[in-house]
């Protein structure tokens, strides 16, 4: 897959990579008043930040079973990139213009009956070099779309607050064993938090991956990063 990507994009990238996997954290803000939340932070970790055509862009690396018009058509309305684009811009003090997607399609070849692993691997390697499996797609952020996703994030924060106060969280049983497979917490729910089942799980603070040591953190730009509240 990486050989195919290299052939498709060439040796010289069209942008300059500034930071790889920079973490960010800043205050979640009311989209109507811009006042900061007293309970929630906005945080995450972008794949990369690059300079392209005199502007700053996020970079997202994606793998997909199929790279077609339907897949690409969904990207401009994606919540995460707009959420990240707005809040990473505030946290790091960078005006983020949009997102550049590097999309790597997966070969759909299956191993044949009586085919050796070596032969299948070579056939797969050749098929994975097809240029149509690789796409670079650019999304420019529109202010109205950013604001729509800001409202969504703020509303989710309010839903979490209400659920925490009432100790009643909306369940979605259809996803317990959904298209992405079995939820890793389904045994916990099915047992009603039985102590014996609880003992098989390890507790970690929410979003602990954002505070783990990372060599890239020292390369991230300074901004209005804050601390003391849970990341949203």
């Amino acid at each position: 897959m990486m050989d195919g990507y290299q052939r498709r994009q060439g040796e010289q990238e069209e942008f300059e990579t500034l930071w790889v996997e920079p973490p960010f954290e800043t205050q979640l803000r009311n989209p109507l008043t811009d006042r900061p939340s007293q309970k929630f932070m906005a945080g995450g970790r972008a794949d990369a930040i690059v300079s392209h055509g005199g502007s700053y862009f996020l970079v997202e690396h994606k793998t997909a079973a199929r790279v077609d018009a339907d897949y690409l058509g969904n990207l401009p309305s994606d919540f995460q990139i707009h959420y990240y684009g707005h809040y990473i811009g505030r946290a790091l003090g960078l005006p983020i213009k949009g997102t550049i997607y590097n999309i790597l399609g997966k070969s759909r070849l299956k191993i044949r009956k009586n085919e050796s692993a070596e032969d299948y691997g070579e056939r797969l390697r050749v098929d994975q070099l097809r240029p149509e499996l690789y796409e670079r797609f650019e999304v420019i952020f529109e202010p109205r779309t950013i604001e729509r996703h800001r409202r969504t994030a703020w509303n989710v924060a309010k839903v979490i607050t209400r659920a925490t106060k009432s100790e009643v969280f909306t369940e979605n049983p259809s996803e317990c064993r959904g298209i992405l497979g079995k939820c890793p917490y389904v045994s916990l729910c099915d047992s009603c938090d039985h102590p014996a089942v609880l003992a098989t799980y390890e507790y970690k603070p929410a979003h602990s991956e954002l505070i783990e040591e990372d060599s890239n953190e020292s390369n991230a730009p300074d901004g209005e990063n804050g601390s003391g509240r849970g990341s949203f």
Side-chain angles (χ1 to χ4, degrees):
M1 182 179 285
M2 294 310 300
D3 287 343
Y5 172 79
Q6 191 67 37
R7 290 194 183 193
R8 175 70 171 80
Q9 300 303 338
E11 294 292 335
Q12 184 63 44
E13 286 286 14
E14 60 191 32
F15 50 71
E16 178 187 1
T17 301
L18 302 178
W19 299 282
V20 177
E21 294 191 342
F24 69 94
E25 187 177 68
T26 188
Q27 294 164 306
L28 187 72
R29 290 179 177 268
N30 186 320
L32 299 179
T33 66
D34 206 40
R35 295 182 62 182
S37 170
Q38 300 302 307
K39 295 182 178 180
F40 293 96
M41 302 293 289
R45 189 186 293 271
D47 284 354
I49 299 176
V50 302
S51 176
H52 173 54
S55 300
Y56 294 109
F57 284 79
L58 303 181
V59 171
E60 282 284 310
H61 302 292
K62 299 288 186 183
T63 58
R66 185 189 299 273
V67 182
D68 54 19
D70 288 339
Y71 182 90
L72 298 178
N74 288 327
L75 298 179
S77 60
D78 182 75
F79 169 81
Q80 180 176 313
I81 64 164
H82 290 85
Y83 172 81
Y84 271 31
H86 174 74
Y87 280 108
I88 202 170
R90 297 195 74 140
L92 305 183
L94 299 175
I96 305 296
K97 184 177 181 178
T99 294
I100 298 171
Y101 283 94
N102 280 329
I103 306 166
L104 286 68
K106 301 176 183 177
S107 173
R108 305 180 73 181
L109 291 183
K110 303 295 183 183
I111 192 168
R112 295 167 177 166
K113 185 177 181 180
N114 298 324
E115 183 177 29
S116 69
E118 291 78 8
D119 289 344
Y120 172 61
E122 178 59 22
R123 192 163 56 88
L124 187 64
R125 185 190 68 80
V126 172
D127 187 67
Q128 192 67 60
L129 295 177
R130 289 185 292 125
E132 61 267 28
L133 291 178
Y134 304 90
E135 187 72 42
R136 176 162 286 172
F137 190 78
E138 189 174 292
V139 173
I140 303 299
F141 295 145
E142 296 290 341
R144 288 183 296 179
T145 307
I146 289 281
E147 289 307 303
R148 188 175 82 243
H149 290 303
R150 286 188 67 193
R151 292 195 298 269
T152 297
W154 187 256
N155 186 62
V156 170
K158 292 195 294 185
V159 169
I160 293 173
T161 298
R162 289 196 298 268
T164 301
K165 287 182 178 179
S166 65
E167 297 186 349
V168 177
F169 292 85
T170 302
E171 297 183 2
N172 186 9
S174 64
E175 292 301 315
C176 294
R177 297 171 178 83
I179 191 171
L180 297 178
K182 181 180 177 181
C183 171
Y185 302 101
V186 69
S187 299
L188 196 60
C189 295
D190 289 347
S191 72
C192 296
D193 296 347
H194 191 281
V197 180
L198 274 171
T200 65
Y201 286 83
E202 178 185 2
Y203 172 79
K204 287 186 176 182
H207 305 293
S208 57
E209 72 278 4
L210 300 181
I211 58 177
E212 292 176 353
E213 289 189 4
D214 191 299
S215 59
N216 294 312
E217 291 190 20
S218 59
N219 296 324
D222 294 329
E224 60 175 46
N225 291 1
S227 60
R229 291 186 288 274
S231 294
F232 173 73

